Structure formats: structure tokens, C-alpha cells
Amino acid sequence: MTGLHAKLHDIYDEVAQRNPGEVEFHQAVYEVLDSLGPVVARHPEYTDNAVIRRLCEPERQIIFRVPWLDDAGAVQINRGFRVEFNSALGPFKGGLRFHPSVYLGIVKFLGFEQIFKNSLTGLPIGGGKGGSDFDPKGRSDNEIMRFCQSFMTELYRHIGEHTDVPAGDIGVGSREIGYLFGQYKRITNRWEAGVVTGKGLTWGGSQVRTEATGYGTVFFVDEILRTTSDSFDGKRVVVSGSGNVAIYAIEKVHALGGVVVACSDSGGYIVDEKGVDLDLLKEIKVVRRGRISDYAAARGGAADFVAGRSVWHVPCDIALPCATQNEVSGTDANALIDSGCRIVAEGANMPCTPEAVKYFGAAGVIFAPGKAVNAGGVATSALEMQQNASRDSWTFEDTEARLAEIMRRIHHTCLTTADAYGQPGNYAAGANIAGFIRVADAMLALGLI
């Protein structure tokens, strides 16, 4: 890999050799190492003490069988994962993803990203991730409950409020968290609310947790706009996805004066030039668990549905990829550039391919990485942990204000760190370097662990 600092070549090669076939993990590691050249030049102790090599190796990787009965009485088998990546700053913290694409490489990529994301929040949480190749789509509530109970029957022995605190991710919402926590409580005979986050408001959850990742994404972009004395007023915005992150990003963009004209799901995208009708979108995607095509049908001639194509060919000022990894290709990036897009901010984890990021940089498009932009979700999870520990409950307004302040702090940290290491305005470099240094210094302070 020619782009890496000489001291980092061998580390990346070792990661690739020790983790064959895990291409998403390789990509995530390379993306971070590519920013660390100025850091290792100034701080040789990070390579001399093998801090970076240790950081690229998870503390613990757990793979387990998940047997469960479907509604027809047939035995189904899935595979469960939990990668406890780094606990130098606090207990492992990161979501669970239930999706057919999940395998060890996906979980390790997400867990590696989580280390730096959690570090950037400034809160005492380490990085981890987990999940299963189980697909909740089309499954009944009872099937999902039985799967979650079987999953937790193995996972419970590896987690705890001072050890590892899972949350939700793709395919894991408050319903799944409820089934998982219920099984944990049943097995352990403990009401240990801080063992999972994303809980329902009536049983230990936090206000704003549902909205946090989407809101936080928009708060970060609002700070980007403020650096040039600009705002969301009148801005044309495109959002990918139509799940939890996308819905609440759309809500906050509209609240700040922008207009979201397009969003998507795996079947295609809709264009609604007057602005996405958020109430209708929530009804279809949250209540009915329907498809984005249903939105276009309900809106009649006011919205168009385009099947099987990329939403990034819809002209916009601001693009918010909020769906999944590597969804924005080089071709998509060029389409955004040609349409006059000025800002791309990742609401999902690593949704832009390396080629896309390269094109954005060359064209002068501001690019902000997911480990900074979408940190609002885990930050609010940490706030939920604080409330659980103190047996307290904060108002929506108070929690949202804390979230907004955390996102302002992350934005400031990214910019000042990029400046300090000779890359002014480079949000990706600032996020990677700032997130890395806090974890690396903790690892040095704790000795050889």
C-alpha cells in the first residue's frame, strides 16, 4: 500500500495476513492508518511500544451458535458474534446488527470504527460490536423473540455494565433490545439496566436515544455550515436509507430550514420535490414496516419512485449517506460533484468507498467521516448509562442539549486536530488522529495489556 507511512506498512500487511478475506475490516484499518503518518513521525512511542499493532487486534472475539424454533416448529441455526475490541477507555460499547450480510469481517470493521467514534465523544467507553446473520425481515414477533432469547442465552456470560454494553444497530431496535434484556434479566436474576442501551422509555431508556444518530448527524453538519457563516436554510438535501437514522436526520434537517427531497431503501428511492412528508414516511416505515415505494404510491403524483438505482444521482447541496457501508461508489461521488454537492457527511458507518472519498477531496467537497458524524447514537447511549447508574431520568430537551454540545465538541476536536497536524479542514484526518491519540495514550498509561 503505497500511501502509508513507512512505519505503518508492516502493520497493515500483518492485519491483512492475519485476517484473510475480511475486506471491510482491512478497509477500515487502512483508512485510519493512512491518517497516522504525521502522528508516528511526531510520536515514535506509538510504534516503538506496538500500540498500533495492539489496537488492530481485538481483545476478544466471540463466535457462537444460535439455535431457535420458527413458527412452523422447524429448527433454525444462525451464527452470533461479539468482538470486544478495546477497553482502554472504558467498558466495551457498541451495537448489535441482525442482517444476512453479517460475518466476522463486518463485525470487526464496525468494532474497529467504534473504538475511535467512542473516543471522540470524550466519554469513558471502549469499542466493540456484535450481531448475527439472522434476518428479522418477514419474521413474526414470536420468531424474533425466540431468536433474541437464544442469542442472549450465550451472550449474557460475556457482557455487563462494567464489562461490555451492547446496543442496537441495523435490524435491532427497541423491540429486539426488550427481548434481549428480558432474557438477560431472566437468566441472571438481576435488573441491571446498564447492561444494554436503547431500552424503552418506561423501563430504563433515555429520551432522544431513538433520534440521536440522525439528530447528531445533522448537528455536525450544522457546525460545518457555521464555520462558513452559512446555515441549512433553503439547502437541498438527499438522504440515503429510510430507517431510524435517516428518518431523524430528515426530521432535524427540516427543523433547521433545509429540504430533504429524496430518500431510499434497498428497492430504490423516492423524489419528493416539496420535501419528504415525514409523518407519512414514519407511518410507512415504522408503523407498517413497508417499502419506500409505498410512500410514492401514497403521495400519488407528488412523489416519484425510481427502482434499483442510486439516490446519489438526485441533485443536492448536502448528501447524508445513512444506510450501510460502501453504498457511495466513485461513480456516485462524481454524480454528486457534478450536481454541485458541497458537503457529504456519513450518517452510516463507512458508507463512502475509498474511491469516492478521493474524488470528494480532489473536487473540494467537504467530507466528514462516520466515526465523527454519527457518534451521536453512542454518545446518547452513554448518557443512558449515566442515567441508569444514578437511577435518574432526564427530559428530552436536556438530553438533546447535551447531545448537541457533544457534537459541537467533536466537530471542534476534528478541526483543531487537523490543524495541529498540518491538514487544515480535513475532517477525516482530524477524526482519525484525535480518536487514535486518546486511546493510544490510555493504552500506554495502562501498561502492556
Side-chain angles (χ1 to χ4, degrees):
M1 290 291 183
T2 56
L4 294 180
H5 185 280
K7 289 187 176 182
L8 302 174
H9 271 285
D10 290 345
I11 295 174
Y12 177 80
D13 288 343
E14 181 179 318
V15 168
Q17 291 166 10
R18 287 171 65 88
N19 304 275
E22 297 174 1
V23 292
E24 297 88 357
F25 179 47
H26 301 167
Q27 180 183 338
V29 170
Y30 185 85
E31 190 266 335
V32 171
L33 296 187
D34 194 37
S35 298
L36 297 186
V39 179
V40 298
R42 194 179 300 183
H43 299 284
E45 65 270 21
Y46 294 141
T47 49
D48 293 346
N49 290 279
V51 171
I52 301 174
R53 287 179 60 209
R54 284 186 276 151
L55 191 59
C56 293
E57 184 69 20
E59 293 182 27
R60 192 172 298 112
Q61 302 179 63
I62 304 155
I63 304 176
F64 52 96
R65 181 180 63 202
V66 188
W68 57 282
L69 287 176
D70 66 20
D71 286 344
V75 176
Q76 303 291 331
I77 305 292
N78 287 98
R79 183 172 287 177
F81 304 89
R82 188 67 180 172
V83 174
E84 297 175 333
F85 223 115
N86 191 285
S87 60
L89 295 176
F92 305 104
K93 185 82 191 78
L96 298 170
R97 175 175 294 191
F98 293 169
H99 191 271
S101 66
V102 170
Y103 78 109
L104 186 59
I106 290 281
V107 178
K108 284 165 72 173
F109 129 62
L110 293 167
F112 187 75
E113 287 279 291
Q114 200 77 41
I115 299 169
F116 308 102
K117 181 187 305 186
N118 294 2
S119 172
L120 284 169
T121 68
L123 300 169
I125 43 177
K129 206 75 178 183
S132 173
D133 56 3
F134 170 75
D135 187 356
K137 286 184 179 178
R139 293 294 181 181
S140 70
D141 285 351
N142 282 333
E143 287 176 320
I144 291 171
M145 179 183 70
R146 288 192 291 269
F147 172 81
C148 289
Q149 289 174 339
S150 181
F151 186 90
M152 183 55 79
T153 298
E154 173 59 33
L155 185 66
Y156 89 94
R157 69 193 77 226
H158 305 292
I159 63 176
E161 62 181 327
H162 302 298
T163 305
D164 184 355
V165 183
D169 193 84
I170 293 172
V172 180
S174 59
R175 173 183 57 177
E176 289 76 16
I177 291 294
Y179 295 148
L180 291 164
F181 180 69
Q183 184 72 352
Y184 181 88
K185 176 181 174 293
R186 181 184 187 188
I187 293 170
T188 64
N189 194 34
R190 294 197 302 269
W191 182 273
E192 190 180 338
V195 74
V196 293
T197 57
K199 300 183 293 296
L201 291 177
T202 58
W203 47 280
S206 173
Q207 298 276 2
V208 191
R209 180 60 191 91
T210 302
E211 299 86 352
T213 307
Y215 277 19
T217 295
V218 178
F219 287 147
F220 194 98
V221 176
D222 194 43
E223 291 301 311
I224 294 175
L225 290 165
R226 288 173 187 270
T227 62
T228 56
S229 301
D230 203 350
S231 73
F232 268 104
D233 282 345
K235 295 295 185 297
R236 184 180 170 95
V237 182
V238 168
V239 176
S240 68
S242 49
N244 190 64
V245 179
I247 284 172
Y248 290 103
I250 294 168
E251 182 170 282
K252 188 54 69 174
V253 167
H254 286 176
L256 294 178
V259 180
V260 176
V261 296
C263 62
S264 64
D265 65 12
S266 58
Y269 66 86
I270 57 100
V271 179
D272 193 331
E273 290 291 347
K274 292 184 178 180
V276 170
D277 183 328
L278 192 60
D279 290 337
L280 177 59
L281 184 64
K282 287 180 179 179
E283 168 68 24
I284 288 170
K285 298 299 291 188
V286 179
V287 179
R288 299 187 207 169
R289 300 183 186 273
R291 307 299 294 164
I292 199 69
S293 56
D294 299 331
Y295 174 96
R299 285 282 278 166
D304 295 321
F305 172 68
V306 180
R309 292 185 58 195
S310 169
V311 73
W312 306 120
H313 294 256
V314 178
C316 62
D317 301 306
I318 298 170
L320 303 180
C322 294
T324 191
Q325 66 272 4
N326 289 329
E327 60 169 296
V328 184
S329 67
T331 301
D332 296 330
N334 281 324
L336 286 167
I337 292 164
D338 290 344
S339 76
C341 181
R342 293 176 44 212
I343 298 172
V344 177
E346 296 185 318
N349 293 303
M350 205 172 71
C352 297
T353 64
E355 185 181 37
V357 175
K358 177 183 175 182
Y359 291 161
F360 292 142
V365 174
I366 296 172
F367 169 74
K371 60 175 61 71
V373 176
N374 69 38
V378 75
T380 307
S381 283
L383 298 181
E384 182 176 329
M385 293 165 66
Q386 289 183 29
Q387 292 170 83
N388 293 156
S390 62
R391 299 292 194 269
D392 199 358
S393 180
W394 305 335
T395 66
F396 190 100
E397 293 74 18
D398 185 34
T399 310
E400 184 179 7
R402 294 178 193 230
L403 169 62
E405 177 55 35
I406 289 170
M407 298 312 298
R408 280 192 290 270
R409 189 167 65 232
I410 293 173
H411 176 270
H412 176 75
T413 297
C414 291
L415 276 191
T416 56
T417 303
D419 280 345
Y421 282 87
Q423 301 182 67
N426 189 330
Y427 284 97
N432 288 333
I433 293 170
F436 166 77
I437 287 175
R438 183 166 180 247
V439 177
D441 287 347
M443 292 175 69
L444 286 174
L446 295 176
L448 188 59
I449 60 170

